[in-house]
């Protein structure tokens, strides 16, 4: 699993580098460097309390974190949107280990700022059988200290590439959550966190599963 997902990432990165002008790659790197040097999107840490939330899933039904925690721990992952190829690869990798996550008595929840309609498209496209929730306006992501503003020069790059993030999210802010993954214990305590400014740097789902197993022993 770990090798397979990393291979997909590396293959995509190589194709991207070959197909994308240096000027655009430099702008993307600049945006990551600026985010890393700022205080934005640092995320919550292990040992802190996970804020509760009530968010709609892709079918419009409300999912509450603390209600889910009554049945067992939760693996919570924030992703940018279905327009992001790295997010789609990550979401599919979690689907492949979903039975093992459930086998540990845990539930899996994925959150993005996309509208419910866009979340449904993401769920159906990737054949996901877990909660895919819509955090329109990044209200929950903000409580987890994950939100950052895309710089204007990168917004223009995205628009030129046809990435209509504003339409996916149903607002004009062009804000996104940093890609982050948490394991949350039944009492709401964060047991594990993985947060990186570089959207290409994600927690390996197989590693998250191992952390889940450790905390269940």
């Amino acid at each position: 699993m770990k090798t397979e997902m990393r291979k997909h990432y590396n293959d995509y990165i190589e194709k991207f580098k070959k197909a994308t002008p240096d000027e655009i790659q430099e702008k993307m790197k600049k945006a990551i460097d600026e985010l890393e040097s700022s205080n934005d999107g640092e995320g919550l840490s292990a040992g802190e309390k996970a804020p509760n939330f009530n968010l709609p899933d892709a079918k419009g039904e409300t999912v509450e974190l603390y209600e889910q925690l009554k049945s067992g721990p939760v693996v919570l992952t924030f992703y940018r949107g279905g327009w992001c190829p790295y997010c789609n690869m990550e979401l599919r990798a979690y689907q492949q280990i979903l039975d093992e996550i459930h086998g540990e008595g845990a539930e899996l929840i994925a959150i993005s700022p996309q509208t419910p309609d866009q979340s449904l498209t993401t769920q159906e496209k990737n054949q996901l059988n877990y909660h895919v929730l819509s955090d329109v306006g990044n209200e929950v992501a903000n409580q987890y200290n994950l939100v950052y503003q895309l710089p204007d020069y990168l917004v223009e790059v995205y628009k030129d590439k046809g990435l209509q993030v504003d339409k996916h999210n149903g607002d004009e802010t062009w804000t996104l959550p940093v890609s982050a993954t948490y394991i949350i214990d039944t009492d709401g305590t964060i047991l594990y966190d993985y947060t990186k400014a570089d959207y290409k740097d994600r927690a390996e789902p197989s590693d998250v599963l191992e952390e889940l197993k450790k905390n269940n022993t």
Side-chain angles (χ1 to χ4, degrees):
M1 174 63 61
K2 184 174 181 177
T3 303
E4 181 182 351
M5 179 177 161
R6 183 53 52 192
K7 181 179 184 302
H8 289 323
Y9 267 44
N10 291 341
D11 288 348
Y12 183 85
I13 290 170
E14 286 306 310
K15 290 177 182 178
F16 174 82
K17 287 180 178 179
K18 291 178 181 178
T20 305
D22 290 342
E23 180 184 359
I24 292 178
Q25 292 189 52
E26 288 169 4
K27 287 181 178 180
M28 290 181 165
K29 183 180 184 303
K30 177 184 176 183
I32 292 171
D33 290 343
E34 289 176 348
L35 180 56
E36 286 180 336
S37 63
S38 75
N39 294 321
D40 296 334
E42 292 183 339
L44 299 182
S45 301
E48 294 188 87
K49 207 77 168 180
N52 192 23
F53 57 75
N54 289 273
L55 290 175
D57 65 14
K59 297 179 181 177
E61 298 177 1
T62 300
V63 175
E64 180 184 352
L65 173 62
Y66 279 23
E67 189 64 30
Q68 296 291 316
L69 292 174
K70 291 179 181 178
S71 301
V74 166
V75 175
L76 178 63
T77 186
F78 288 84
Y79 70 102
R80 302 197 301 165
W83 49 269
C84 169
Y86 301 99
C87 294
N88 289 320
M89 285 184 271
E90 178 187 34
L91 294 173
R92 288 194 295 269
Y94 275 115
Q95 177 62 40
Q96 291 176 24
I97 61 171
L98 183 60
D99 287 345
E100 293 177 83
I101 290 174
H102 287 164
E104 294 299 317
E107 192 55 78
L108 175 62
I109 297 175
I111 296 178
S112 82
Q114 295 183 122
T115 64
D117 281 349
Q118 292 293 339
S119 293
L120 180 59
T121 298
T122 300
Q123 187 169 39
E124 291 178 339
K125 177 176 67 176
N126 293 300
Q127 299 180 314
L128 308 178
N129 296 318
Y130 52 86
H131 295 301
V132 180
L133 308 185
S134 294
D135 179 26
V136 175
N138 278 306
E139 293 183 7
V140 172
N142 192 53
Q143 293 178 42
Y144 281 74
N145 193 25
L146 296 173
V147 181
Y148 67 99
Q149 177 72 52
L150 280 174
D152 290 341
Y153 62 83
L154 196 57
V155 171
E156 293 307 313
V157 170
Y158 277 32
K159 286 181 177 179
D160 288 344
K161 290 170 66 67
L163 297 177
Q164 298 176 311
V165 177
D166 52 343
K167 292 185 178 180
H168 279 263
N169 294 355
D171 65 35
E172 301 295 326
T173 62
W174 286 83
T175 58
L176 291 172
V178 169
S179 302
T181 301
Y182 300 100
I183 297 174
I184 305 171
D185 204 356
T186 51
D187 66 355
T189 303
I190 297 173
L191 299 175
Y192 165 90
D193 70 275
Y194 194 98
T195 309
K196 298 291 183 181
D198 187 347
Y199 57 86
K200 301 184 297 298
D201 189 344
R202 313 284 178 105
E204 290 280 358
S206 57
D207 289 345
V208 175
L209 177 61
E210 289 306 310
E211 289 292 331
L212 183 62
K213 290 177 178 179
K214 286 181 189 175
N215 285 293
N216 268 351
T217 56

